[in-house]
Amino acid sequence: MRVPTLLSFLFLRVVAAKLEVRDGQTATLITFPATPTDLGLKQIPDDAHPFIAPGPDDQRGPCPGMNTLANHGYISRNGVATFEEIVLGSVEAYNLEINFAAFIVAGNMLMRGNPFVNKLSIGGESPLVPPLPGGIGGSATGGMSKHGGFEGDASMTRADAAIGDNADFQDILYDLDLLSLGQFGGDGPEGPNTLFNVQTMSAIKQRNLQMDQMINPEFHFTPIRAVASFTEAAFVLGIFANGTTNQSSLSTIGSFFRNQTFPPNWHRAAAPVSGLVLGGTALAIQAGVDPSIVVASHNDAQGNLVPDTPPPAPFDANLGCGFYFDLFAHMPAGLANATGVLKQNVDLLANAVRASVGGSACNQTLAPFGPPDN
Amino acid sequence: MRVPTLLSFLFLRVVAAKLEVRDGQTATLITFPATPTDLGLKQIPDDAHPFIAPGPDDQRGPCPGMNTLANHGYISRNGVATFEEIVLGSVEAYNLEINFAAFIVAGNMLMRGNPFVNKLSIGGESPLVPPLPGGIGGSATGGMSKHGGFEGDASMTRADAAIGDNADFQDILYDLDLLSLGQFGGDGPEGPNTLFNVQTMSAIKQRNLQMDQMINPEFHFTPIRAVASFTEAAFVLGIFANGTTNQSSLSTIGSFFRNQTFPPNWHRAAAPVSGLVLGGTALAIQAGVDPSIVVASHNDAQGNLVPDTPPPAPFDANLGCGFYFDLFAHMPAGLANATGVLKQNVDLLANAVRASVGGSACNQTLAPFGPPDN
């Protein structure tokens, strides 16, 4: 054993002085990762990232893309990860454009994670993600499975939270999705009607929305969901497609959705997939769905679908502005009054969100303004 | 402890005298069960037959109907059962007409079981089913998973034995089936295109046959399979349908195929389902498939589909006669020369087969004439 020198003692004191502790939690400064230089076609996973099924204490949730990252160790296999981990994992495995990846993870971290310790569960509540310090959040940190953030109704493969399991893959829902593929899918190497395409995704979303509105008395297609659910549908075509063919085949999508593993011989997209590209696909999918059911709306007490009360001006200008407003409405207001490391983290994360959402009609800087638990 | 009386000793000697032992196996006389009197609509399962997932040593195989019986204890949960057990289980749970049930079980017992001890595995080889005594069968008794009997190519949910797993449910194959449901399914309580019907089953079989012929170099659609595979398709409509509605809905069929459990609130058919009814449905399904691929045929060395050499006259008269011939060709010839209990059992089983197959064009009494292992 080496005898510590005076210098090392001094160094330790300097480090200790920088540690910020609140409610027994130690702050962790979040940084925006540098963009990797390697952004081309690549087979995923590499040898260092084999599939290992999650154990009973590992967190998994409603997003098959996140679950797949964890099942292959592109983020922590326990399903609790930092902002940087998830951003870089998404870039590496899916070639998601880094600013768009940062927006998704930042939004989740501010709505459903603990940005003081820089931990987000991709599933439900976890002892590894303590409640926000100072009582500014709820008594527990929900994780991505918590209903009402990006997670919401009319999912392709998860039940609405009010009436079923909103975190795990549901065979019957994917079975229903495949009926639409049978009707509208493109012909491919796996046979006729085996390729997911825009028309198929529109039919799937139309069915998701109509069915859940009918069977879920508490159905609520929030502004966040009105954007997120079509963006998720766009992921099927833009992110899960094999980069070598740009095809989202039956076996490819089944691998991600059902088995939450990368398909054999799968390659990530050949170039970074931006929010602009995904947004365009999402709009194309939305355009194929009955316009009356794609707006922010909910069931009234009689089970009739009624539009949501619009957000205040200028956020009522369009869905993008409503989405922007709704996101910050789901982040605890206490985050906006943070100090120290937490303030630095919230600023970085909120900036990452603002960079991807909003628009000229609502060009205002929002800060978190929601209740502690929302 | 009671002191045995002279009478009980005598009784034991009488019983012992009746036991017939060969190769260490004790013969069990098979009897044709009496037809239950209760043959109407009934909710299945009853409280005495809950689902229990099979353990690692339990046998399960290519037939979801059999697997479901075992998962609910309508036959032995270990998946090794007697003729009487499977016949009565099929009658009780599915309201299968008893003579048709007897034909199916008898055919399997003679081709793939041990009729000396009256044991059949609904899955693969099992230490509970010894080889036939006297070396008249192969070195092991195959069970229903063994390729080439009723089990064969172009299954709806299992891979061809030559190229994959022919015993377990394969997600991707059922996914492909659902594409046909999306195209041709009827509208029902679960949504548009959610009811399996004849047109859907025809499309499924067309796809099964075309795909397997293309991807399986050893593809062989034997006379047995040419009948059995369409009869299996008829089961989807005639046996798995909920007896209260006669509908084979998406969730109902998924429950049987994927989870191998009875669906919630499921009722067996309201009246016994006979081979005549199922045969009619099978023919209707077959009529919707390209006629050139429904005949007994196989791939040649170049991967071209060529018709099988017809069986000898009079069994070349029609597919029913060819089926009859092919069944007995897959039963070890040694069974035809049996003595004692084995002869009694073989006679009973062969009669049960003959009662359901053949036809006026080939009105001959066949006995098992196949090689020991076929």
Side-chain angles (χ1 to χ4, degrees):
Chain A
M1 198 189 295
R2 207 174 55 155
V3 179
T5 63
L6 179 62
L7 194 64
S8 70
F9 274 116
L10 286 172
F11 179 72
L12 284 172
R13 285 194 58 204
V14 170
V15 170
K18 287 174 68 180
L19 289 179
E20 191 181 317
V21 176
R22 297 191 201 173
D23 297 356
Q25 303 172 28
T26 303
T28 301
L29 189 67
I30 297 176
T31 56
F32 199 102
T35 305
T37 51
D38 155 29
L39 293 171
L41 193 70
K42 183 192 281 191
Q43 184 161 355
I44 301 292
D46 58 24
D47 291 344
H49 295 90
F51 176 85
I52 301 175
D57 294 331
D58 294 334
Q59 293 292 332
R60 297 292 184 271
C63 178
M66 293 287 174
N67 296 342
T68 301
L69 290 181
N71 286 342
H72 284 268
Y74 280 102
I75 62 174
S76 302
R77 290 184 184 270
N78 66 9
V80 173
T82 67
F83 172 77
E84 296 88 334
E85 257 186 281
I86 308 181
V87 169
L88 288 174
S90 302
V91 171
E92 172 65 14
Y94 298 122
N95 215 354
L96 207 57
E97 191 272 327
I98 195 165
N99 292 298
F100 188 70
F103 150 60
I104 294 173
V105 186
N108 274 304
M109 183 70 83
L110 289 169
M111 290 191 290
R112 297 294 180 250
N114 182 329
F116 184 69
V117 297
N118 189 16
K119 289 285 182 191
L120 171 67
S121 163
I122 67 169
E125 296 176 9
S126 163
L128 301 176
V129 189
L132 286 171
I136 61 176
S139 59
T141 301
M144 288 180 60
S145 296
K146 185 179 175 185
H147 182 62
F150 285 121
E151 193 291 322
D153 294 340
S155 158
M156 294 178 278
T157 56
R158 269 66 175 173
D160 285 5
I163 56 170
D165 179 348
N166 72 329
D168 298 308
F169 176 83
Q170 303 295 306
D171 277 312
I172 188 69
L173 297 179
Y174 186 59
D175 287 354
L176 286 163
D177 295 340
L178 294 184
L179 303 185
S180 299
L181 183 65
Q183 291 174 300
F184 302 112
D187 298 344
E190 295 172 18
N193 312 106
T194 53
L195 294 181
F196 286 81
N197 51 20
V198 168
Q199 199 179 359
T200 298
M201 298 315 300
S202 296
I204 288 173
K205 292 315 301 175
Q206 171 104 14
R207 193 191 288 256
N208 297 156
L209 285 160
Q210 286 184 324
M211 187 176 81
D212 288 353
Q213 189 272 325
M214 280 193 295
I215 65 177
N216 177 8
E218 299 178 38
F219 180 77
H220 192 178
F221 201 53
T222 64
I224 294 178
R225 279 303 288 168
V227 173
S229 73
F230 284 101
T231 307
E232 291 163 8
F235 287 166
V236 170
L237 304 180
I239 294 291
F240 290 162
N242 195 323
T244 54
T245 60
N246 289 322
Q247 290 179 342
S248 297
S249 72
L250 180 64
S251 71
T252 297
I253 300 308
S255 180
F256 281 111
F257 270 153
R258 178 185 284 123
N259 304 324
Q260 307 192 133
T261 185
F262 295 101
N265 303 312
W266 189 82
H267 291 63
R268 69 181 194 186
V273 182
S274 67
L276 195 68
V277 164
L278 288 165
T281 304
L283 285 174
I285 294 168
Q286 192 200 51
V289 180
D290 177 354
S292 71
I293 60 174
V294 302
V295 296
S297 50
H298 61 278
N299 274 345
D300 66 14
Q302 287 71 46
N304 299 311
L305 188 69
V306 294
D308 283 7
T309 304
F315 301 100
D316 58 348
N318 55 49
L319 182 58
C321 290
F323 175 54
Y324 178 36
F325 184 85
D326 202 23
L327 283 172
F328 283 87
H330 281 81
M331 301 169 190
L335 291 174
N337 306 316
T339 58
V341 170
L342 183 57
K343 176 177 168 47
Q344 291 178 265
N345 287 351
V346 170
D347 287 350
L348 181 143
L349 297 171
N351 277 331
V353 173
R354 287 184 210 109
S356 282
V357 296
S360 58
C362 53
N363 191 11
Q364 298 197 9
T365 300
L366 284 179
F369 66 93
D373 193 356
N374 188 7
Chain B
M1 197 190 295
R2 208 174 54 154
V3 179
T5 63
L6 179 63
L7 193 65
S8 70
F9 274 116
L10 287 172
F11 179 72
L12 284 172
R13 285 193 59 202
V14 170
V15 170
K18 287 175 67 179
L19 289 179
E20 190 181 317
V21 176
R22 296 190 203 174
D23 297 356
Q25 304 172 28
T26 303
T28 301
L29 188 67
I30 298 176
T31 56
F32 199 102
T35 305
T37 52
D38 155 30
L39 293 171
L41 193 70
K42 182 192 281 191
Q43 184 160 356
I44 301 292
D46 58 24
D47 291 344
H49 295 90
F51 176 85
I52 301 175
D57 294 331
D58 294 334
Q59 293 292 332
R60 297 293 184 271
C63 178
M66 292 287 174
N67 296 341
T68 300
L69 290 181
N71 286 342
H72 284 268
Y74 280 103
I75 62 174
S76 302
R77 290 184 184 271
N78 65 10
V80 173
T82 67
F83 172 77
E84 295 88 334
E85 257 186 281
I86 308 181
V87 169
L88 288 174
S90 302
V91 172
E92 172 66 13
Y94 298 122
N95 214 354
L96 207 57
E97 191 271 326
I98 194 165
N99 292 298
F100 188 70
F103 150 60
I104 294 174
V105 186
N108 274 303
M109 184 70 83
L110 289 169
M111 290 191 290
R112 296 294 181 250
N114 182 328
F116 184 69
V117 297
N118 189 17
K119 290 285 183 190
L120 171 67
S121 163
I122 67 169
E125 296 176 10
S126 163
L128 302 177
V129 189
L132 286 171
I136 60 176
S139 59
T141 300
M144 289 179 61
S145 296
K146 185 179 175 186
H147 182 62
F150 285 121
E151 193 291 322
D153 294 340
S155 158
M156 295 178 278
T157 56
R158 269 66 175 174
D160 285 4
I163 56 170
D165 179 348
N166 72 329
D168 298 308
F169 176 83
Q170 303 295 307
D171 277 313
I172 188 69
L173 298 180
Y174 186 59
D175 287 354
L176 286 164
D177 296 340
L178 294 184
L179 303 185
S180 299
L181 183 65
Q183 291 175 300
F184 301 112
D187 299 344
E190 295 172 17
N193 313 107
T194 53
L195 295 181
F196 286 81
N197 51 20
V198 168
Q199 200 179 0
T200 299
M201 299 314 301
S202 296
I204 288 173
K205 292 315 302 175
Q206 171 103 15
R207 193 191 288 256
N208 296 156
L209 285 160
Q210 286 184 325
M211 187 176 82
D212 288 354
Q213 189 272 323
M214 280 193 295
I215 65 178
N216 177 8
E218 299 178 39
F219 179 77
H220 191 177
F221 200 52
T222 65
I224 294 179
R225 279 303 287 169
V227 173
S229 73
F230 284 100
T231 307
E232 291 163 7
F235 287 167
V236 170
L237 304 180
I239 295 291
F240 290 162
N242 194 322
T244 54
T245 60
N246 290 322
Q247 290 179 343
S248 297
S249 73
L250 180 64
S251 71
T252 297
I253 300 309
S255 180
F256 281 111
F257 269 153
R258 177 186 284 124
N259 304 324
Q260 307 192 133
T261 185
F262 295 101
N265 303 312
W266 189 83
H267 291 63
R268 70 181 193 186
V273 182
S274 67
L276 195 67
V277 164
L278 288 165
T281 304
L283 285 174
I285 294 168
Q286 191 200 51
V289 180
D290 177 354
S292 71
I293 60 174
V294 302
V295 296
S297 50
H298 61 278
N299 274 346
D300 66 14
Q302 286 72 46
N304 299 311
L305 188 68
V306 294
D308 282 7
T309 304
F315 302 99
D316 58 348
N318 55 49
L319 182 57
C321 290
F323 175 54
Y324 178 37
F325 184 85
D326 202 23
L327 283 172
F328 283 87
H330 281 80
M331 301 170 189
L335 291 174
N337 306 316
T339 57
V341 170
L342 182 58
K343 175 177 168 48
Q344 291 178 266
N345 287 350
V346 170
D347 286 350
L348 181 142
L349 297 171
N351 278 331
V353 173
R354 287 184 210 109
S356 283
V357 296
S360 58
C362 52
N363 191 11
Q364 298 197 9
T365 300
L366 283 179
F369 67 92
D373 193 357
N374 189 6

